[in-house]
Structure formats: C-alpha cells, structure tokens
Amino acid sequence: MRSWIWIAPLLFLAGCGKPNSPRRDAQVAAASSPVIQGDPEPVAQPDLGRPPATIPEHQEVVIPRGTALRVRVDEGVNTRRNRAGDQFRASLAEPIVVGGKTVVPRGTRFLGHVTESQPSGRLQGRAVLALTLDSFELEGKGYRVRTGSVNRVSAAHKKRNFELIGGGAGLGALIGGLAGGGKGALIGAGAGAGAGTAGAAATGKKDVGVAAETLLTFPLKTPVQL
C-alpha cells in the first residue's frame, strides 16, 4: 500500500511532462492568439449613374453690322402727308440668316420713322423724304436696331418752270403787240411773264413718297444681339 502512495505522484508528474496533443495545441493557440480584424467590406454605393448631360444655355446670336434688312412697308409715306418723326410699319420680306441658320423669319414686324420730310419749294428745290428702321419684335421680345436711311428725292422742275414762264411771256407779247404795237408788246410780255410765273408757282411744287407694299432695303449700322 505504501508503494502506491509513492507511485501515484510519479505517474502524475510524468503525465504532465508529455507534449500536448496537436488538437489541444490548436485550441490553445486559437484561444491565446489575438483576433485580427480584416479590412471592412466596401459598402455598396447606390448606382446613381452618370450625371445628366448639361443642357446648353441659349446660344448667343449676333446679327452682324452691314446686314441688309429687306422690308415691305405697310402704308404709303410721302412729303405731302407725313412729317419728320412720323412712324411707319413694315414687315420683313426676306429672312435674316446668320451662319446658315434663319434667326429672324420672314414676316417679322418692324417699326420705323420718318427722319426727314421736305416738299420742294415753289419754282426751286427738290422734295426729300428719308426713312429709317427703329425696332422689330421676335418671339414676344422687342429689339432695337440702328440702320442707315432710305432716301427719296424728287426730280428737278426748274426747266418746266422756265418753260411755263417763257411761254406766258411770249403769249403776252403776242397779244400785246396785236393790241397796241411795240409798247403793247412790252406790256403784254410783262403781264404774260407774271401769269406764267403764277402758273408755275401753282403747279410747280413737288412731293415725293413711298407707296404701300414697296420693298426697301436698310443696311444695319450696328450689330444686334438676340
């Protein structure tokens, strides 16, 4: 009995000295090893797609200086009825094209005014009428324009006046000569000349104008930005 008391502690110590089994070693290593966290999985972002294409803003269009504005006047304008400052209306007869694209269509309404209206004097001078464009309306918006003027000038009438005066003097001289000889011819010539002058003054005054539906071309003097 006493021998077993000594043997038991020896067996216990011997068992403690044996190497650990692989399974136990793995368990111990797993328990003792620090837990290393891996990189977090990337969070899936919602697919918003590509940004929408930018809608281009209204492209600037400029009607260049020198562009011919060809319009048709709506009503007649003349030196007998109209004075400087009077307005007139017209419509675009041919579209305005910039870079191969129509920017102002045919039929666009224009507004202009008379810059000069001067009838001829009696027995001398010429009648003068001058027009210019001021603005037009496109898609409900008004645009100012600055154009050159279109001028109309009457023909001279001095030759006709002289013919009237000369004819009156000759007729007066003939009548005066028949009535009272040489002296009567001189008196008749003077009277005839006066009558001829009066007739020229009554009929010699001229006017000039532009009839309705007339086509006029105005050169643009400054650019117009649309």
Side-chain angles (χ1 to χ4, degrees):
M1 289 295 293
R2 292 183 177 177
S3 61
W4 284 104
I5 295 174
W6 293 100
I7 292 172
L10 294 175
L11 293 174
F12 176 76
L13 293 175
C16 291
K18 291 181 179 181
N20 295 327
S21 64
R23 183 177 179 181
R24 181 177 178 81
D25 291 342
Q27 292 176 347
V28 173
S32 60
S33 298
V35 178
I36 301 175
Q37 299 289 340
D39 294 335
E41 292 292 333
V43 179
Q45 297 293 331
D47 185 9
L48 300 179
R50 299 181 64 182
T54 303
I55 299 175
E57 296 181 358
H58 179 67
Q59 186 177 2
E60 181 181 288
V61 177
V62 177
I63 304 174
R65 177 179 179 270
T67 299
L69 307 181
R70 190 165 175 79
V71 302
R72 191 184 304 274
V73 296
D74 291 351
E75 68 273 0
V77 184
N78 58 60
T79 55
R80 179 177 56 82
R81 185 179 68 249
N82 299 103
R83 295 292 174 263
D86 288 354
Q87 291 185 326
F88 68 92
R89 298 182 182 278
S91 58
L92 192 63
E94 296 179 1
I96 300 174
V97 179
V98 177
K101 179 182 178 181
T102 297
V103 295
V104 182
R106 178 182 177 183
T108 299
R109 308 295 296 171
F110 277 76
L111 187 66
H113 76 279
V114 178
T115 58
E116 183 178 0
S117 177
Q118 182 65 49
S120 71
R122 297 187 184 278
L123 306 180
Q124 63 181 353
R126 299 171 183 257
V128 178
L129 179 70
L131 310 174
T132 189
L133 294 178
D134 299 319
S135 63
F136 67 91
E137 184 174 334
L138 180 63
E139 296 179 351
K141 184 177 180 180
Y143 295 89
R144 299 286 299 176
V145 297
R146 184 167 174 259
T147 71
S149 62
V150 171
N151 302 327
R152 292 288 185 270
V153 181
S154 69
H157 53 81
K158 288 184 178 180
K159 182 178 180 181
R160 180 171 180 271
N161 290 339
F162 291 144
E163 289 174 351
L164 287 172
I165 295 170
L171 180 61
L174 177 60
I175 296 174
L178 293 175
K183 184 177 180 181
L186 293 176
I187 296 173
T197 302
T203 61
K205 187 174 181 179
K206 288 183 176 294
D207 288 290
V208 67
V210 174
E213 299 298 314
T214 300
L215 287 173
L216 300 176
T217 301
F218 295 84
L220 194 60
K221 297 183 71 172
T222 58
V224 178
Q225 178 178 328
L226 301 181

